[in-house]
Amino acid sequence: MELSQIIPHIEALVFASDKPLTTLELVELLNNALAFIEDRASLEQVEAAIDGIREKYSGEFYAFELLQSGGGWQFLTKKEYHKTVAQLNGDKFLKRLSTASLETLAIIAYKQPITKSEIESIRGVNCDYAVQKLLEKDLVIISGRNEEAVGKPLIYSTSKSFMDYFGINSPDDLPKISEVMMEELVKATVITNGETPEIIEEEVVSVTVSEDAIEETTGKQFET
């Protein structure tokens, strides 16, 4: 099957789909639609067609592009058009997560799979409400139970919606901790028995998540 035949069908499938489509799904859908038993599209042909589509829409004359996000392929508007598109979507682009939910989401994203008690030990406060809001927004999921812990508590992980929202395909695509952490030097005063106080510099590392940084990267916001 020629690439010139495959490309427009892939474009139509990605454009019409309400969820990201994987390369294997595109192969299956394409062959089901065309029903060419003796001349079926191969995985290699579809991959080549996707490369061609990506190159086509990467040009400056297009406001959207083909990106792999949320585990599959999607047509997405380019970041530089966020403010323009936001005018049409109103509150959808003005939704924010509370600070507590944002902190909880960051912990789950980087420590998953993780139990609620482990989240609370990191944050130092009860996380029931924050976890519930994240579940309601489909940003995290219950991915099982910790069979080795007392009571076999539920464990939480980020969802496909989380990956889709932030434009990644797996938790491995998240920014490295070194890119988002803030380092501080905290001076501690140590008093010894009758001796001169000694000033010790110790490095304290804390991980912070900036909403502004997330919005700049994704062009999206949340509300509680």
Side-chain angles (χ1 to χ4, degrees), residues 134-198:
L134 293 173
L135 287 170
E136 290 176 3
K137 292 179 182 294
D138 195 28
L139 291 172
V140 302
I141 59 171
I142 297 171
S143 54
R145 289 183 179 274
N146 186 339
E147 299 293 338
E148 299 179 358
V150 177
K152 299 181 180 180
L154 298 172
I155 54 178
Y156 299 88
S157 303
T158 52
S159 65
K160 287 186 177 181
S161 295
F162 169 88
M163 292 189 293
D164 183 23
Y165 186 87
F166 287 101
I168 61 176
N169 295 297
S170 77
D172 294 335
D173 294 334
L174 287 167
K176 303 303 180 186
I177 292 293
S178 59
E179 297 175 10
V180 295
M181 83 164 81
M182 177 180 65
E183 296 183 357
E184 292 182 345
L185 287 177
V186 178
K187 293 184 177 181
T189 302
V190 178
I191 306 293
T192 56
N193 296 330
E195 298 179 2
T196 303
E198 180 184 359

Side-chain angles (χ1 to χ4, degrees), residues 28 34 43 47 62 75 81 84 139 153 160 162 164 179 211 218:
E28 181 179 0
L34 299 181
L43 176 61
E47 289 175 339
Y62 294 98
F75 279 121
Y81 299 101
T84 302
L139 291 172
K160 287 186 177 181
F162 169 88
D164 183 23
E179 297 175 10
E211 273 194 34
T218 65

